Amino acid sequence: MKRFQRKRSSVWLRLAPEETDILTSLVEQVTGLLEGEPTAPVDDQGDPFALWQAEMEQPVALDLDDPVLARLFPDAYADDPHASGEFRRLTQERQRQQRLADSGLVLAALAASARGERPVEIPFADASAWLKTLTAVRLALAIRLGIETETDMATVEALSSDDPRSYVYQVYEWAGYLQEGLLSLL
Amino acid sequence: MTTQAAGDTETIERPVESPAEEMAWVTIVWDDPVNLMAYVTYVFRSYFGYPERKAHSLMMQVHTKGKAVVSSGRREQMETDADAMHSFGLWATIEKAS
């Protein structure tokens, strides 16, 4: 049975139960990072809807000391921290919301597969959200593995299977394989 | 795929540029060890609308030379393009064309 299939206007992906668990967990970890911390306490005036509204509207502080977040929201101006700061100020929130929406889409599709009992459906319209989410997952894994250069990559590839990082690297490779598979059918 | 202009209605104070200076900005995409060649090509095709051959060629430039200029024009447009590249997980910067 093929891992990836294209039928009608969707790509269908067969995953084993553990695979849906792993992918769900990876995406949730990225979402967790993107949810950040609220910057100010919220006054709900006793109204749960006001609280929800206020929480939706207030800016979220992302910890850019976290190397994963720094990589997901990099400097746009190499030699101008002020311009980079301005750029980030104008773009970060929208990007953060879009990433959360994309991840939500992936998580919903995984949940709908009932742990892989049914193939996971990826409509073409959602392909971009899947590709971007898989990229974010791979970037996060690579950074946690300490991969910054091609040399680092070679080092990690050569790790023995006793090294705990070797498992993380396998997951990283597997996410790349999923991304290639999806790309090949678009 | 959705692209949205980086924006709200706030005005940024910027030095006044001549029309030629205004157009002379570029977006550069930098190589990184994570992003798949097939993915980078896909991004250049789907966001910029470049034909497969050009998208592939730009991707190979990033891969072999470490970076490539992927678009040029007004600074505001370059910021939109860089924002889009970041949203795809690529690493892009903006600078004045040399």
Side-chain angles (χ1 to χ4, degrees):
Chain A
M1 242 184 296
K2 270 207 213 146
R3 176 75 94 163
F4 286 96
Q5 257 187 312
R6 185 168 148 156
K7 257 191 316 189
R8 302 189 283 279
S9 52
S10 294
V11 172
W12 299 81
L13 165 61
R14 293 182 182 283
L15 290 176
E18 318 76 62
E19 290 176 329
T20 62
D21 293 341
I22 290 171
L23 194 50
T24 299
S25 166
L26 291 171
V27 176
E28 283 176 345
Q29 284 175 52
V30 172
T31 326
L33 271 182
L34 290 169
E35 274 162 356
E37 295 293 330
T39 53
V42 171
D43 173 18
D44 65 358
Q45 299 156 343
D47 176 350
F49 286 105
L51 172 64
W52 181 64
Q53 175 98 5
E55 280 176 347
M56 294 279 274
E57 286 168 354
Q58 69 175 325
V60 159
L62 290 180
D63 176 14
L64 291 174
D65 285 334
D66 182 322
V68 175
L69 289 174
R71 177 59 183 83
L72 292 178
F73 298 93
D75 285 342
Y77 291 91
D79 300 313
D80 190 342
H82 176 73
S84 290
E86 277 295 297
F87 178 86
R88 196 174 275 118
R89 197 169 60 80
L90 289 174
T91 60
Q92 182 176 286
E93 183 55 21
R94 189 199 51 77
Q95 256 205 47
R96 194 183 69 87
Q97 297 283 2
Q98 184 64 55
R99 286 200 145 107
L100 285 170
D102 291 344
S103 305
L105 221 134
V106 172
L107 291 171
L110 287 168
S113 81
R115 287 188 83 227
E117 238 179 70
R118 294 184 279 279
V120 179
E121 181 178 7
I122 305 172
F124 291 156
D126 294 351
S128 176
W130 271 83
L131 290 169
K132 288 174 173 179
T133 301
L134 284 169
T135 297
V137 162
R138 295 184 72 241
L139 286 170
L141 288 170
I143 283 163
R144 298 297 183 220
L145 284 168
I147 296 173
E148 280 174 40
T149 64
E150 297 288 348
T151 316
D152 295 336
M153 183 73 77
T155 307
V156 173
E157 271 169 350
L159 289 173
S160 91
S161 49
D162 300 334
D163 191 313
R165 282 177 298 164
S166 147
Y167 171 74
V168 178
Y169 181 70
Q170 282 176 58
V171 173
Y172 166 81
E173 284 265 273
W174 176 69
Y177 157 77
L178 289 181
Q179 198 173 27
E180 292 257 32
L182 178 52
L183 282 165
S184 72
L185 290 174
L186 294 177
Chain B
M1 179 204 91
T2 56
T3 53
Q4 292 167 356
D8 59 21
T9 52
E10 203 177 307
T11 311
I12 305 169
E13 291 297 321
R14 291 237 164 93
V16 175
E17 295 177 309
S18 72
E21 282 174 325
E22 262 189 31
M23 285 298 292
W25 290 82
V26 293
T27 306
I28 294 174
V29 166
W30 298 85
D31 191 26
D32 73 77
V34 172
N35 280 310
L36 303 169
M37 288 163 67
Y39 179 63
V40 175
T41 307
Y42 162 86
V43 172
F44 293 163
R45 238 183 37 237
S46 71
Y47 175 75
F48 290 110
Y50 293 148
E52 172 70 28
R53 202 159 161 199
K54 177 165 181 176
H56 185 265
S57 160
L58 280 173
M59 176 278 294
M60 285 307 294
Q61 237 192 309
V62 171
H63 185 64
T64 58
K65 296 193 157 56
K67 63 175 183 176
V69 171
V70 296
S71 67
S72 63
R74 296 182 70 238
R75 185 175 180 172
E76 280 72 19
Q77 183 58 45
M78 298 304 97
E79 291 199 334
T80 303
D81 292 348
D83 182 35
M85 293 300 101
H86 292 174
S87 77
F88 280 104
L90 302 192
W91 176 23
T93 58
I94 300 161
E95 59 188 55
K96 277 205 143 146
S98 46

